[in-house]
Amino acid sequence: MKEIKKVAILTAGGDCPGLNPVIRAVTKTAITKYGLEVMGVRHGYFGLYHGDFIKLGLEDVEDIFTKGGTILYSSNKDNLFQYPVKDENGNLVRDENGKLVYEDASDVAVENLKKAGIDAIFILGGDGSLTSARDFARKGVKVIGIPKTIDNDLAHTDYTFGFDTAVTVATDGLDRVRTTGMSHHRIMVVEIMGRGAGWMTLHAGIAGAADAILIPEIPYDINKVAEKIQKDKANGKDFSIVAVAEGAKSLDGKQVVSKIIEDSADSIRLGGVGALVADQLEKLTGSEARATTLGHIQRGGTPTSRDRILSARYGYAAVELCMNGGFGRMVALRGDKIIDVSLEDVIGQKTKNVDPNGEYVTLAKAMGICFGD
Ligand code: F6P
């Protein structure tokens, strides 16, 4: 097997706290322990397509561990295996029906890696970005995956980095609306990120003592939520906290879409369910309601120490995996152990969702938290 001398790091998809600590851990381990040359791919897969590489030295990564985002930048639009074609002016090309025209541009990326002399690449991503990582591995690229997403919905790992910070921010949000809600006897609805999985809302909802938690995995009946609030009111609790995931579904199964980004690999952006729920609850209960959307506040800022440690563990383990020839695999957390799993298995399985009959939902219900079911 060809010796590994030069490696690259790529951050793809929505950013999240912990990316920089992973970049730091990979770079430091690769240089200090193995004497490797380390490159960063800028702007995610977009940069891989354009050959946008920079050299990373120890000094470049020394002080990045407290920074949110990614010093390498990211893109959550670019799937090189299904890439929208652009004309010479950079405009999207459409067919006769007005539909975007796509091509497989992955060979360009493979060629760029070869030209730059990169022997292996670390890809930090969630479900979508790691699907491409798997596809590059299938083409013979030496890929190591590192699981990133605030949603914590990636299969085969108990936790992704970024999740703990996002939950901490969301919990703080719930704590803050609680005091103002209490002062004005209001229903305070907080919309928390999470498209298909309600992990963040469930964890923050329990930590922040929400009265109702609405998540995509448990379709809600708004009347049931209103009944719970009325009951609490009758028992003397005259304010309520409702934690709602942006992907929460009412009984008709519909989610609230905020915008469609046509040339994005995953074009739907959700948002607005918090305002809808607040409006409905105000009408049904007669109590004043207010909605707050946390949105990207959850994705920005300093990673928690827990996320920094997980990032360091993942970064170190990823370099070890690479030096042991574990390509096409992803580092993962199982219990308190770092393990590695095949990207084929991670991507082959559906995303990881909240079990409506699992421990967390069960304990929340036992404490009187309403899920609208
Ligand atoms: O997947 C992470 C995530 O933050 C989701 O929770 C959210 O729905 C989405 O990304 C938002 O994406 P964007 O930054 O493109 O608005």
Side-chain angles (χ1 to χ4, degrees):
M1 195 177 69
K2 189 178 179 292
E3 212 189 325
I4 302 295
K5 291 201 172 125
K6 191 171 184 180
V7 295
I9 308 171
L10 179 151
T11 54
D15 73 316
C16 84
L19 284 165
N20 286 327
V22 175
I23 294 169
R24 183 176 188 268
V26 169
T27 305
K28 286 204 145 202
T29 308
I31 295 175
T32 311
K33 184 165 177 193
Y34 292 106
L36 305 181
E37 195 177 337
V38 182
M39 306 296 289
V41 182
R42 302 200 321 150
H43 311 287
Y45 288 114
F46 178 85
L48 196 56
Y49 180 74
H50 291 280
D52 190 350
F53 304 128
I54 50 158
K55 196 171 162 55
L56 290 177
L58 292 175
E59 64 291 352
D60 299 310
V61 300
E62 184 54 38
D63 279 324
I64 63 173
F65 60 97
T66 57
K67 282 192 187 140
T70 159
I71 58 161
L72 295 174
Y73 309 106
S74 191
S75 153
N76 62 357
K77 295 211 298 194
D78 302 278
N79 175 359
L80 300 185
F81 291 86
Q82 216 207 345
Y83 209 40
V85 178
K86 289 188 180 158
D87 64 19
E88 58 280 5
N89 301 318
N91 299 317
L92 293 163
V93 173
R94 292 173 189 279
D95 66 13
E96 57 280 10
N97 302 316
K99 293 239 161 72
L100 293 182
V101 176
Y102 293 93
E103 64 179 351
D104 181 345
S106 59
D107 283 341
V108 178
V110 176
E111 205 42 48
N112 287 339
L113 287 169
K114 264 193 206 141
K115 268 195 253 159
I118 292 164
D119 302 312
I121 181 164
F122 299 93
I123 297 181
L124 285 55
D127 192 37
S129 314
L130 290 181
T131 302
S132 291
R134 187 238 4 225
D135 294 341
F136 277 114
R138 282 182 179 174
K139 288 176 85 93
V141 177
K142 293 190 169 86
V143 174
I144 301 286
I146 306 181
K148 166 238 71 163
T149 165
I150 60 167
D151 295 351
N152 200 36
D153 61 349
L154 210 57
H156 285 283
T157 186
D158 291 349
Y159 287 100
T160 49
F161 65 86
F163 176 69
D164 185 65
T165 309
V167 169
T168 302
V169 172
T171 304
D172 183 55
L174 292 171
D175 290 348
R176 284 174 189 276
V177 298
R178 188 176 193 87
T179 56
T180 164
M182 196 190 296
S183 307
H184 292 271
H185 316 296
R186 283 173 173 161
I187 300 167
M188 303 302 284
V189 180
V190 178
E191 183 180 310
I192 295 170
M193 270 190 172
R195 282 174 294 188
W199 293 111
M200 278 185 284
T201 308
L202 179 61
H203 281 236
I206 293 171
D211 301 292
I213 296 176
L214 309 180
I215 55 175
E217 293 87 344
I218 305 178
Y220 65 87
D221 177 348
I222 197 69
N223 295 300
K224 297 244 170 87
V225 185
E227 270 166 36
K228 149 84 176 158
I229 290 171
Q230 299 281 48
K231 208 166 131 200
D232 285 349
K233 214 165 151 184
N235 289 332
K237 183 171 182 291
D238 58 359
F239 76 97
S240 301
I241 306 295
V242 179
V244 53
E246 62 175 358
K249 296 172 188 153
S250 55
L251 288 179
D252 62 11
K254 285 197 185 129
Q255 293 179 310
V256 182
V257 175
S258 82
K259 62 159 85 175
I260 304 283
I261 303 176
E262 202 190 4
D263 61 334
S264 174
D266 189 355
S267 58
I268 294 174
R269 294 295 182 280
L270 300 175
V273 67
L276 176 74
V277 163
D279 199 39
Q280 290 173 326
L281 289 177
E282 187 165 281
K283 288 194 180 107
L284 288 167
T285 63
S287 295
E288 256 197 305
R290 295 287 187 272
T292 303
T293 300
L294 294 179
H296 292 81
I297 287 173
Q298 279 177 265
R299 273 206 348 222
T302 303
T304 57
S305 55
R306 196 183 176 88
D307 267 337
R308 291 185 212 178
I309 292 165
L310 184 59
S311 298
R313 293 178 79 193
Y314 277 155
Y316 161 73
V319 176
E320 291 296 323
L321 187 60
C322 173
M323 298 316 280
N324 288 318
F327 305 113
R329 301 185 70 77
M330 180 189 89
V331 291
L333 186 72
R334 184 86 42 86
D336 196 36
K337 262 199 155 73
I338 300 289
I339 56 154
D340 55 87
V341 289
S342 155
L343 280 168
E344 291 287 347
D345 291 345
V346 174
I347 301 307
Q349 198 167 318
K350 282 203 296 204
T351 49
K352 184 182 67 190
N353 283 87
V354 172
D355 175 0
N357 300 309
E359 183 199 343
Y360 283 30
V361 175
T362 307
L363 80 84
K365 283 185 175 173
M367 290 169 68
I369 299 177
C370 169
F371 285 78
D373 61 340

